[in-house]
Amino acid sequence: MCRVWLGGRLLSIRVQFFALDLYCHISVLDPLKDNGSAIQEVPREKVNFSEELLSSTSFARQLVDQMTLAKAYVILAKEQGNLQLAWELSSQIRNCQRLLSEGAVNGRAITKDEAHPIISRLARLIYKAQDSHYDISTTIVTLKNHALALEERAKAAIVQSAEFGQLAAESFPKNLHCLTVKLTEEWLRNPKHRSHSEENRNSTRLVDNNLYHFCIFSDNVLATSVVVNSTVSNANHPQQLVFHVVTDRIHFGAMSTWFLINDFKGCTVEVRCIDEFSWLNASSSPLVRQLSEAETQGYYYSAGSKNPERETKFHNPKFVSLLNHLRFYIPQILPNLEKVVFLDDDVVVQKDLTQLFSIELHGNVIGAVETCLESFHRYSKYLNFSHPTISSKIDPHTCGWAFGMNIFDLIAWRKANATSLYHYWQEQNSDLLLWRTGILPAGLLTFYGLVEPLDRRWHVLGLGYDVDIDDRLIESAAVVHYNGNMKPWLKLAIRRYKYIWERYVNISHPYVRECMLQ
């Protein structure tokens, strides 16, 4: 949209100069009065048409100049109700465009014989427009008004585009809803699923620290399936993997059914409902308490209360989703485990991740890939350092890091009491003055000084917004992350990266096949 605005401003400035030139020297534009003009006919041979348009002695350049001025008079004529003149000008503009298009396609210069009739008719019509009192001052004022109007429309379009893009990103696609419904129906229809689910909860594998444990918190069945499927597909010993999946009450039946009726190469998948965690309440969690307050609900959930001057993305309800914040409660969710890898539901695993468990964290709580190759990925980008609570405790030049694929040492976590640190910072930010919203700023503060940098190849970001990621970097990545609005399960996904995600979708399952046609 910025290009539209800039193009409009440049067009209006250019038209003003051409209008002034025509007004002062209109006689040189009429090729009927060719008294030894410097313009020479170019032989019919292959030429650089871009250079033709820039040459002050070419007929192509003269056509473009005449056409630009004629377009301005079309606007003026329409505003004055002179539709006949506007139609005549538009007709010649189309002839001009047709001739220029032919020249560009064929790679040849426009000849005098070709340009003469069009330039002649345009010149007469421009004289006619001037006789109708469309003088230069009127032209300039009118075009200025149009430029300002175009600027306002461009601003409105940018805001609207952001709104629509955010709505699309937050929406739950019809095919995913279809899959959830079918799986929930099967869960309710078949009591065996419920009994098997209860049996699996008692498996000793869930607390065996000799196995490799992963946790995923999501309400998206298909996305969670892709994470699990891609992880086990690239593991050397998938039967040694254990996944701890937590979802909400609405999706619990569907999520449980999916992992009961599908085999993932012998790995163990536990599905739990967030409502089971009685300790996650308003008295223990600042976020739960804040979510019960009318101001917080209005900020994130009430469209009418949003300030149009603020960016839509900062009002995204997912940022205060309890499922999204469960990553700060992993030791409480998995009290018997010592190490666990956390995976977001918008990642795809491409390498064996069990090697992460042998990485030495040197007493730190979290292993993460740093993102400060460029300055804007440092702490100063995410936090309000004008606030004394931040500036007195945190170094703004500290390197940022990525959530989405992280190894956690839960022993070190409990020793550092990191969950209490998270609660402290959530309390301090109750007025949204330390950071505007989101999960990452809370993580940067919670684990400040407790992060072990990982090799960049463990976690490559940007597949949900960056169209120019190096293919070699993607191929070498252990995990690729579709962070951003363009999730791979949405229609607005970046097509170049979508195949990576789709290769792990179980398209052979009848529910998936049927719902994908929705």
Side-chain angles (χ1 to χ4, degrees):
M1 295 301 175
C2 292
R3 292 177 179 172
V4 172
W5 169 80
L6 182 59
R9 293 302 298 264
L10 292 174
L11 174 61
S12 68
I13 293 171
R14 185 178 181 187
V15 168
Q16 291 174 28
F17 280 105
F18 282 127
L20 181 60
D21 184 71
L22 176 72
Y23 185 73
C24 299
H25 307 287
I26 193 68
S27 61
V28 301
L29 293 177
D30 189 350
L32 294 175
K33 302 176 182 179
D34 187 347
N35 299 319
S37 170
I39 299 176
Q40 300 295 326
E41 183 175 345
V42 181
R44 287 181 177 270
E45 57 184 18
K46 286 288 183 180
V47 297
N48 186 323
F49 203 74
S50 297
E51 293 180 359
E52 278 289 296
L53 294 175
L54 295 174
S55 172
S56 60
T57 61
S58 71
F59 286 102
R61 171 65 179 272
Q62 191 170 358
L63 281 167
V64 170
D65 292 349
Q66 285 278 66
M67 182 173 62
T68 302
L69 187 57
K71 287 181 178 179
Y73 280 120
V74 168
I75 296 173
L76 293 169
K78 287 181 177 179
E79 286 194 345
Q80 298 295 325
N82 194 341
L83 300 182
Q84 177 63 30
L85 178 58
W87 180 86
E88 292 176 357
L89 284 166
S90 298
S91 178
Q92 294 308 313
I93 289 171
R94 287 193 294 273
N95 292 336
C96 185
Q97 291 171 330
R98 189 179 302 110
L99 181 56
L100 289 169
S101 177
E102 291 174 357
V105 170
N106 297 327
R108 62 176 181 78
I110 304 298
T111 66
K112 179 180 178 180
D113 290 341
E114 293 172 319
H116 182 279
I118 298 175
I119 295 178
S120 176
R121 285 191 287 269
L122 278 174
R124 293 192 186 98
L125 289 171
I126 291 171
Y127 277 126
K128 185 177 179 180
Q130 288 183 321
D131 289 341
S132 300
H133 307 293
Y134 304 148
D135 56 29
I136 190 64
S137 60
T138 302
T139 302
I140 292 174
V141 170
T142 302
L143 292 179
K144 182 179 179 181
N145 291 337
H146 274 277
L148 292 173
L150 181 61
E151 182 178 348
E152 290 302 316
R153 289 198 298 273
K155 288 180 179 178
I158 291 171
V159 172
Q160 189 178 57
S161 176
E163 292 277 358
F164 289 159
Q166 194 64 49
L167 285 172
E170 295 172 20
S171 65
F172 203 67
K174 184 179 179 181
N175 55 356
L176 297 187
H177 178 70
C178 165
L179 180 62
T180 300
V181 170
K182 289 185 176 298
L183 291 169
T184 302
E185 288 176 346
E186 181 163 339
W187 170 261
L188 297 173
R189 186 172 57 244
N190 194 338
K192 290 183 179 180
H193 292 329
R194 296 192 289 276
S195 61
H196 289 161
S197 178
E198 287 299 322
E199 291 172 8
N200 291 342
R201 297 284 293 273
N202 298 320
S203 172
T204 57
R205 291 172 58 84
L206 300 178
V207 294
D208 187 348
N209 280 294
N210 293 314
L211 301 177
Y212 303 102
H213 295 264
F214 300 82
C215 55
I216 308 166
F217 310 133
S218 173
D219 60 0
N220 188 326
V221 176
L222 195 61
T224 304
S225 175
V226 167
V227 177
V228 174
N229 192 25
S230 63
T231 305
V232 300
S233 296
N234 291 287
N236 294 329
H237 304 286
Q239 68 278 3
Q240 297 180 6
L241 273 54
V242 180
F243 293 87
H244 304 269
V245 178
V246 181
T247 189
D248 57 24
R249 183 190 309 169
I250 296 174
H251 297 87
F252 175 73
M255 192 78 76
S256 299
T257 302
W258 180 259
F259 287 104
L260 285 170
I261 65 177
N262 289 286
D263 176 64
F264 291 89
K265 298 190 175 182
C267 74
T268 299
V269 181
E270 172 198 31
V271 179
R272 301 176 70 182
C273 178
I274 192 172
D275 291 352
E276 297 176 27
F277 307 139
S278 58
W279 44 262
L280 189 60
N281 52 54
S283 62
S284 64
S285 170
L287 178 65
V288 175
R289 184 168 62 255
Q290 290 163 9
L291 285 175
S292 65
E293 298 171 355
E295 184 177 356
T296 304
Q297 292 178 0
Y299 184 84
Y300 289 104
Y301 297 102
S302 176
S305 67
K306 294 180 182 179
N307 183 343
E309 295 298 321
R310 303 185 69 176
E311 294 183 58
T312 305
K313 65 180 180 180
F314 291 111
H315 297 274
N316 192 340
K318 76 175 184 179
F319 291 137
V320 288
S321 161
L322 285 180
L323 281 177
N324 221 7
H325 282 256
L326 275 187
R327 66 192 72 192
F328 295 107
Y329 296 98
I330 293 176
Q332 289 93 321
I333 297 170
L334 305 171
N336 298 305
L337 297 185
E338 298 174 356
K339 272 191 176 183
V340 65
V341 168
F342 167 75
L343 296 172
D344 262 332
D345 65 0
D346 56 351
V347 306
V348 173
V349 177
Q350 301 187 124
K351 310 288 183 184
D352 185 3
L353 294 188
T354 59
Q355 298 176 38
L356 277 171
F357 290 82
S358 61
I359 291 179
E360 177 57 57
L361 297 183
H362 302 101
N364 288 309
V365 173
I366 178 176
V369 170
E370 292 184 327
T371 57
C372 59
L373 294 177
E374 300 179 23
S375 59
F376 63 85
H377 282 133
R378 297 184 183 275
Y379 271 48
S380 56
K381 167 67 177 178
Y382 304 100
L383 303 168
N384 178 17
F385 277 88
S386 65
H387 198 289
T389 304
I390 294 291
S391 58
S392 63
K393 301 176 186 294
I394 307 296
D395 180 0
H397 301 294
T398 303
C399 188
W401 45 269
F403 254 148
M405 194 294 301
N406 306 100
I407 175 72
F408 287 106
D409 184 333
L410 301 185
I411 297 175
W413 183 316
R414 297 181 183 102
K415 183 177 179 180
N417 204 7
T419 300
S420 293
L421 292 173
Y422 161 71
H423 286 163
Y424 168 79
W425 286 113
Q426 279 292 131
E427 289 276 16
Q428 294 297 310
N429 195 47
S430 60
D431 51 7
L432 301 180
L433 292 181
L434 303 189
W435 70 90
R436 296 177 71 175
T437 193
I439 292 293
L440 182 56
L444 295 176
L445 292 170
T446 299
F447 301 111
Y448 181 64
L450 301 172
V451 181
E452 180 69 20
L454 301 178
D455 187 288
R456 184 187 182 196
R457 290 169 295 181
W458 277 111
H459 187 190
V460 171
L461 300 135
L463 277 71
Y465 69 88
D466 187 352
V467 299
D468 293 320
I469 303 175
D470 192 323
D471 288 331
R472 292 169 296 181
L473 184 60
I474 293 176
E475 291 171 4
S476 67
V479 173
V480 291
H481 195 168
Y482 292 83
N483 57 309
N485 284 339
M486 300 179 185
K487 302 300 184 188
W489 54 83
L490 298 175
K491 289 184 177 180
L492 49 76
I494 300 174
R495 187 173 299 276
R496 177 186 166 203
Y497 310 131
K498 195 169 183 177
Y499 78 95
I500 302 173
W501 186 82
E502 288 179 334
R503 67 164 64 132
Y504 296 105
V505 174
N506 186 2
I507 196 66
S508 64
H509 193 281
Y511 287 170
V512 175
R513 192 165 58 248
E514 182 179 347
C515 288
M516 285 302 179
L517 298 176
Q518 294 286 329

